[in-house]
């Protein structure tokens, strides 16, 4: 500032530039300063096959256009702070990194499922583990079944944010969906929830696990469980006795009573045909690296993953992928062809192919094996589903573990490669 309160030419120019910059950010948004044009060009993807380009069968909500971006991520404490942990010996605790499982001691209760070919496939499954590193991911967030790469989910650390924002798509809800609530309340991500089995009929008194209860409750379409609708300024940071029992969402969400499958399933008792859509139909219209995807559909994942792998365009849309894998089930929760080597090998091959496009950020393999080891030491194998000698053990390893069901978290390789 010049003497007498007058600014000299240099100071006036600097002050003027600062005011213009601040107004630009305020009214035009930070994207004007950090433009997508400054990002490196995306590597070319191979053209989809003609089979992949064929329009899949779809119904109802799958044809909807993506909704507007969700709420801004909350400031201050967030859902999941201080409670995420790698493993407490529960079968649903995910961990980043990889493990080398020891040889199981004692009698192997599933001797009928220890064929050499099955062991070879199980050992291949053990190779698909946590490839993503702490440095690549800028750390991990771990909660229950999920081990998320911060670089993919944290708004402040994330690379390659799409212009239209990101969305969470969750297939398989049951009575509540912690995955969607975390996406909503921790990261401000809007979510789309899909499940055809819940909320299909009214009931006088909603009950836990009942078809008319839970987040997919009868009459709900999305919005009933928003924090404001529940009389809350924001959703609780943890589940408490005084908090909402059926879930709570800070960001917008929608409910679709549609399952993911290639075909409809008819209820034998009622003759009702459950509505369905395909994964590729739901992904239609989304930008590259814009979709956080969760699939927990009791065996219906396999045909959807096969179709997804035939479409590089759709693969490029997925930012993260969380799955519960069921080697012993196929579409609509029906028992899979457990004794067919070619069929089980096809499933393992699908996961291996996904691992070429995505990086594993975490699995529940450690927790699954810890639980089985603990049960075996206690001599309670007869009571444990994982080690029940009369059960079906489609995926076993040469070291004596049953990996028929576990959870796996993926993150896009392209996202981790971005500067």
């Amino acid at each position: 500032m010049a003497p007498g309160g007058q600014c000299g030419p240099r100071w006036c120019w600097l002050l003027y530039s600062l005011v213009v910059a601040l107004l630009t950010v305020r009214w035009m948004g930070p994207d004007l300063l950090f433009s997508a044009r400054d990002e490196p060009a995306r590597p070319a993807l191979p053209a989809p096959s003609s089979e992949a380009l064929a329009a899949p069968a779809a119904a109802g909500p799958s044809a909807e256009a993506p909704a507007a971006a969700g709420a801004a991520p909350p400031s201050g404490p967030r859902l999941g702070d201080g409670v995420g942990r790698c493993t407490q010996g529960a079968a649903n605790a995910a961990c980043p990194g990889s493990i080398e499982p020891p040889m199981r001691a004692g009698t192997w209760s599933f001797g009928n499922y220890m064929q050499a070919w099955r062991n070879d496939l199980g050992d291949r499954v053990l190779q698909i583990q946590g490839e993503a590193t702490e440095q690549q991911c800028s750390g991990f967030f771990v909660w229950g079944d999920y081990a998320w790469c911060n670089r993919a989910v944290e708004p402040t650390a994330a690379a390659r944010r799409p212009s239209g924002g990101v969305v969470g798509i969750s297939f398989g809800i049951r009575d509540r969906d912690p995955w969607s609530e975390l996406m909503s309340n921790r990261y401000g991500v809007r979510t789309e929830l899909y499940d055809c089995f819940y909320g299909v009929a009214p009931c006088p008194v909603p009950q836990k696990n009942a078809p008319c209860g839970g987040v997919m409750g009868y009459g709900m379409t999305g919005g009933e469980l928003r924090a404001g609708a529940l009389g809350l300024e924001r959703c609780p940071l943890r589940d408490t006795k005084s908090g909402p029992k059926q879930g709570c969402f800070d960001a917008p969400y929608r409910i679709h009573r549609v399952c993911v499958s290639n075909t409809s399933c008819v209820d034998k008792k009622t003759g009702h045909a459950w509505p369905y859509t395909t994964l590729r139909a739901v992904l239609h219209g989304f930008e590259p690296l814009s979709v956080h995807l969760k699939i927990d559909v009791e065996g219906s994942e396999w045909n959807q993953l096969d179709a997804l792998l035939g479409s590089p365009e759709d693969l490029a849309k997925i930012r993260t992928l969380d799955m519960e894998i069921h080697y012993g089930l196929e579409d609509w929760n029906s028992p899979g062809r457990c004794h067919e080597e070619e069929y089980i090998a096809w499933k393992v091959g699908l996961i291996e192919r996904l691992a070429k496009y995505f990086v594993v950020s975490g699995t529940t393999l450690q927790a699954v094996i810890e639980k089985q080891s603990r049960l075996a030491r206690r001599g309670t194998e007869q009571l444990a589903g994982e080690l029940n000698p009369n059960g079906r053990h489609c995926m076993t390893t040469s070291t004596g573990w049953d990996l028929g069901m576990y959870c796996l978290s993926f993150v896009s390789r392209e996202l981790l490669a971005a500067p």
Side-chain angles (χ1 to χ4, degrees):
M1 188 73 70
Q6 301 295 320
C7 63
R10 179 180 300 175
W11 284 105
C12 285
W13 175 249
L14 289 174
L15 182 60
Y16 173 76
S17 300
L18 178 60
V19 170
V20 170
L22 289 174
L23 288 174
T24 299
V25 174
R26 171 65 179 85
W27 296 107
M28 302 297 289
D31 288 341
L32 189 66
L33 298 183
F34 303 97
S35 170
R37 289 194 298 270
D38 298 329
E39 296 180 352
R42 292 173 60 85
L45 293 171
S49 65
S50 57
E51 193 175 62
L53 289 172
S62 61
E64 296 174 2
S75 58
R78 298 182 296 171
L79 179 63
D81 284 353
V83 297
R85 50 186 176 270
C86 175
T87 178
Q88 293 293 315
N92 65 339
C95 297
S98 58
I99 62 170
E100 289 289 340
M103 182 72 70
R104 182 180 153 204
T107 303
W108 293 2
S109 64
F110 42 86
N112 293 335
Y113 292 89
M114 291 300 294
Q115 298 95 335
W117 65 264
R118 199 182 303 277
N119 290 174
D120 290 343
L121 292 174
D123 291 347
R124 280 167 56 181
V125 166
L126 283 174
Q127 300 305 309
I128 312 170
Q129 292 195 50
E131 182 184 349
T133 67
E134 185 92 12
Q135 182 177 7
Q136 284 177 315
C137 285
S138 301
F140 298 94
F141 173 75
V142 178
W143 174 295
D145 297 350
Y146 325 119
W148 289 339
C149 185
N150 284 341
R151 187 171 169 81
V153 293
E154 283 287 352
T156 56
R160 301 294 290 273
R161 299 285 290 183
S163 60
V166 295
V167 62
I169 298 176
S170 182
F171 291 107
I173 309 302
R174 296 184 183 268
D175 57 332
R176 187 168 176 177
D177 189 35
W179 185 92
S180 296
E181 291 181 56
L182 279 167
M183 282 289 170
S184 165
N185 305 348
R186 184 172 179 83
Y187 302 111
V189 172
R190 69 177 180 88
T191 51
E192 306 282 343
L193 286 60
Y194 288 82
D195 198 315
C196 61
F197 290 107
Y198 287 83
V200 296
C203 78
V205 181
Q207 302 174 24
K208 186 177 181 181
N209 297 324
C212 51
V215 72
M216 296 292 287
Y218 178 79
M220 292 186 180
T221 58
E224 295 90 344
L225 298 177
R226 287 289 299 274
L230 295 171
L232 302 170
E233 184 176 347
R234 62 178 292 192
C235 294
L237 299 180
R238 297 179 183 172
D239 284 334
T240 63
K241 291 183 179 179
S242 60
K245 299 294 189 297
Q246 295 183 326
C248 181
F249 294 81
D250 283 326
Y253 73 98
R254 290 191 299 183
I255 291 172
H256 308 274
R257 287 188 179 80
V258 180
C259 281
V260 60
S261 175
N262 284 353
T263 59
S264 180
C265 178
V266 178
D267 189 313
K268 295 180 180 179
K269 293 182 179 180
T270 65
H272 175 74
W274 300 108
Y276 71 99
T277 186
T278 64
L279 173 58
R280 290 200 58 207
V282 172
L283 289 176
H284 177 73
F286 286 104
E287 297 178 69
L289 295 176
S290 67
V291 176
H292 294 292
L293 179 63
K294 187 211 80 177
I295 304 177
D296 181 2
V297 289
E298 309 305 313
S300 295
E301 64 267 23
W302 298 111
N303 289 329
Q304 303 307 310
L305 295 177
D306 192 25
L308 176 67
L309 284 162
S311 174
E313 178 184 0
D314 287 328
L315 282 167
K317 298 173 184 177
I318 299 174
R319 196 174 184 87
T320 62
L321 171 59
D322 296 293
M323 291 190 296
E324 185 175 82
I325 297 172
H326 309 82
Y327 285 107
L329 296 176
E330 51 187 318
D331 214 8
W332 295 103
N333 204 19
S334 61
R337 303 193 295 271
C338 194
H339 288 285
E340 297 181 25
E341 178 181 355
E342 183 178 355
Y343 185 63
I344 301 300
W346 171 71
K347 292 183 175 182
V348 175
L350 291 178
I351 304 300
E352 289 176 329
R353 290 166 62 194
L354 285 172
K356 293 180 179 179
Y357 199 92
F358 300 97
V359 179
V360 178
S361 54
T363 73
T364 60
L365 287 172
Q366 177 178 333
V368 167
I369 291 172
E370 281 183 3
K371 180 180 179 182
Q372 291 181 29
S373 179
R374 198 168 59 252
L375 292 170
R377 289 195 304 270
R378 293 176 183 172
T380 57
E381 297 182 37
Q382 296 286 341
L383 304 176
E386 294 92 335
L387 301 180
N388 185 347
N390 298 317
R392 299 169 70 253
H393 303 277
C394 296
M395 184 57 59
T396 61
T397 71
S398 61
T399 47
W401 307 107
D402 173 15
L403 304 181
M405 183 180 75
Y406 67 98
C407 297
L408 179 66
S409 293
F410 277 124
V411 60
S412 166
R413 286 186 181 275
E414 184 177 353
L415 183 69
L416 291 190

